[in-house]
Amino acid sequence: MSNPTVAAQAISTVPATILGRQQPRIPTAGRIRAGIKVLTKAAASDPRIRALYDDGLAHQATFEQIEQKIAEQFPDVKTPLVPKNVAWFTVRPNDFPNPAVASQILDAYGEDRGDGVIRLYRFPVLFPADAWQSVMPHELACWTRNEKRYWSEYSADGQTRRCMMFAPATIDARSQRAVRTFGGRGTQPRPDNGGLCDPERCPEFQHRQCNLSGRFLFYIPGIRSLDAFELHTNSFYALSRAIERFEAIAFLRGGRIAGFLDRQGTTFYLTKKLREVSHLDQKTGQPVRNAHWIIELEAPVDVAALLDQRDDDATLRMADAAVQALQGGEPIMHDMLPDTMPQAHQPVNEAARDAAHSSRANQPAPVQAACTNESGTGVDAVYALAVSLGADRAELDTYLNRTWGEGWCRNAQGVKRVLAELTRMQGDPDGLRARIHAEPGAQH
């Protein structure tokens, strides 16, 4: 389900600090839940427990708080609450340090689907890192009521899955007190199984005490928060399908999944889909299919636009190479130019460089001063490349200001985009001149 080597290689490049060598963690503040928890049949049969549950819901308590209160007053009830699979996500004020965030999320993205209740069924998300292992951490974990008892962890080589636990406290021989540790509790491989995570031979896994646990870490557009939000799930199917989406988008975007997916501000979406899930019946060993609401990661993006965006990024790299050449650096390499570009237009280096010197010598001073305020010789490269393609300087100024805005030459990104456009037009100088002479609004 994963390639642990990626995480292991990432760790090896992280510099050591006094707190150790570890991957940077994405801080979180607030949790959206995958569903709800309801009383078990045994707990619901006691009206006193039902009253505690209803009171907790009325006061916006978290399910953990409700469960803890029931356990305190009815210690004989071992498992008062169980998860229930529903079509929506749960957003409760007490799951956020700032309770008002829950209302902000529901106001922005909540829906009433006919029952008079505003719920969260689908919402946009932005991921803060490009490695899916960072934005969707997951593990096999066995919990007691108060803490994590065992968990899976890959060794440094990324190949061996270890079964880990907290190391027992060291007792000082003189004081007979636990030795104070620096950096939190130590960990160690679990000794009774050789420290190897083997679910098929693990009694905790076979008795459903150890389970897959994962979470999505994300930001929500329009919801202001320095820290990310999290959504937990223990669904193998949800996590596996999300990996497929992550890897597909990363392939189309040159390895990136973070931020907006395209220039139109498209985002991933988290929603739920009712799907039939197959599992083995523990008594018969036969496959059984049941319908469950499964978390679905959607990416409603135009694939053609993503591929075109990758081409644009390649053009920007070509533009950078052009700037280098025009500034006297390494010449533009022919293999960086598009394969479809006519050979007659590829060796533009010498002509462009000569045009650059001529452009610097003949440009009117006011325009030169305005256009090199922030972007330096990048503007020279724009004019030099345009002149090498047969464009008239005065007409070019009018065209660029009309198309890109008069501030293009005072913004580094603006200069880069213009240069990329001209670089793209190297194979069609007549088309560039036609654009320059076109009426306002008839081009671009």
Side-chain angles (χ1 to χ4, degrees):
M1 193 181 84
S2 65
N3 180 7
T5 306
V6 176
Q9 290 174 343
I11 293 175
S12 67
T13 62
V14 176
T17 72
I18 193 171
L19 296 179
R21 188 189 301 274
Q22 53 186 318
Q23 279 185 294
R25 303 239 177 226
I26 299 171
T28 59
R31 174 186 298 183
I32 295 174
R33 297 178 183 270
I36 63 174
K37 282 189 173 184
V38 297
L39 292 169
T40 61
K41 186 176 181 180
S45 64
D46 190 323
R48 297 170 299 172
I49 296 179
R50 284 205 312 272
L52 282 176
Y53 178 80
D54 293 339
D55 182 69
L57 293 181
H59 288 86
Q60 301 293 331
T62 66
F63 291 113
E64 285 83 0
Q65 292 169 340
I66 296 173
E67 196 165 27
Q68 183 178 1
K69 184 171 288 190
I70 294 174
E72 290 172 354
Q73 298 188 29
F74 300 91
D76 293 336
V77 180
K78 300 300 183 184
T79 309
L81 300 182
V82 292
K84 182 179 180 181
N85 194 250
V86 292
W88 61 87
F89 302 98
T90 300
V91 185
R92 303 177 69 81
N94 286 355
D95 282 323
F96 299 87
N98 177 8
V101 169
S103 297
Q104 294 172 14
I105 294 173
L106 289 174
D107 289 344
Y109 304 110
E111 304 173 52
D112 177 356
R113 294 194 173 181
D115 59 0
V117 181
I118 301 296
R119 295 191 176 101
L120 188 65
Y121 292 91
R122 183 175 185 266
F123 61 101
V125 294
L126 295 172
F127 293 104
D130 289 323
W132 62 258
Q133 293 90 342
S134 297
V135 299
M136 197 186 73
H138 54 282
E139 63 185 354
L140 287 167
C142 175
W143 289 81
T144 65
R145 174 165 287 183
N146 298 318
E147 66 174 6
K148 187 160 60 174
R149 185 181 182 191
Y150 307 119
W151 66 91
S152 65
E153 187 177 292
Y154 277 92
S155 57
D157 62 7
Q159 304 300 319
T160 305
R161 190 170 61 226
R162 299 287 188 183
C163 181
M164 303 296 292
M165 62 178 289
F166 289 111
T170 301
I171 304 299
D172 184 86
R174 296 179 61 186
S175 67
Q176 293 300 304
R177 300 179 63 182
V179 175
R180 183 185 175 204
T181 60
F182 175 74
R185 298 173 64 183
T187 63
Q188 66 176 37
R190 181 179 174 181
D192 58 324
N193 63 3
L196 294 178
C197 177
D198 186 353
E200 284 71 24
R201 299 186 179 184
C202 174
E204 284 78 18
F205 183 84
Q206 294 302 321
H207 288 89
R208 299 185 181 276
Q209 297 169 358
C210 182
N211 296 291
L212 177 65
S213 176
R215 56 189 178 134
F216 295 94
L217 305 177
F218 51 84
Y219 291 94
I220 303 176
I223 308 301
R224 296 182 179 181
S225 174
L226 182 62
D227 294 332
F229 302 108
E230 57 185 316
L231 171 66
H232 285 249
T233 180
N234 59 3
S235 169
F236 175 86
Y237 296 94
L239 296 173
S240 297
R241 290 177 65 86
I243 292 172
E244 295 173 359
R245 298 291 192 278
F246 282 138
E247 291 182 340
I249 290 296
F251 175 79
L252 293 171
R253 298 183 68 212
R256 298 194 61 226
I257 61 174
F260 291 106
L261 301 183
D262 56 26
R263 297 190 182 98
Q264 287 68 49
T266 303
T267 70
F268 284 102
Y269 279 82
L270 283 170
T271 186
K272 286 189 174 185
K273 296 290 179 65
L274 188 62
R275 299 189 181 279
E276 283 201 346
V277 176
S278 176
H279 67 277
L280 289 179
D281 184 279
Q282 294 234 284
K283 293 182 179 179
T284 65
Q286 297 300 313
V288 179
R289 298 183 68 85
N290 297 106
H292 291 276
W293 288 100
I294 302 296
I295 295 173
E296 187 90 357
L297 181 66
E298 297 179 341
V301 68
D302 183 350
V303 174
L306 285 188
L307 293 173
D308 182 62
Q309 182 173 313
R310 281 198 3 176
D311 292 340
D312 287 348
D313 293 338
T315 303
L316 288 175
R317 290 193 293 272
M318 291 164 53
D320 289 336
V323 172
Q324 258 191 327
L326 292 166
Q327 291 175 350
E330 293 294 325
I332 300 175
M333 294 179 288
H334 294 268
D335 59 0
M336 293 184 64
L337 301 176
D339 294 336
T340 56
M341 186 176 293
Q343 291 293 324
H345 294 291
Q346 288 187 7
V348 299
N349 305 8
E350 295 181 5
R353 191 176 290 109
D354 292 341
H357 292 300
S358 174
S359 175
R360 293 190 186 103
N362 299 324
Q363 292 179 56
V367 174
Q368 176 70 2
C371 287
T372 58
N373 183 32
E374 302 243 350
S375 304
T377 55
V379 176
D380 288 341
V382 168
Y383 287 118
L385 186 56
V387 170
S388 74
L389 296 176
D392 177 79
R393 169 62 189 268
E395 294 178 341
L396 179 68
D397 282 337
T398 302
Y399 164 72
L400 294 177
N401 291 339
R402 181 179 68 219
T403 305
W404 301 92
E406 295 185 3
W408 71 267
C409 58
R410 292 185 293 277
N411 180 286
Q413 286 300 316
V415 172
K416 194 173 183 180
R417 291 290 176 187
V418 172
L419 186 58
E421 178 72 14
L422 295 180
T423 303
R424 187 184 290 111
M425 298 297 293
Q426 285 183 104
D428 185 18
D430 292 337
L432 174 63
R433 291 191 290 272
R435 286 192 179 196
I436 292 174
H437 297 145
E439 292 296 324
Q443 80 286 331
H444 225 51

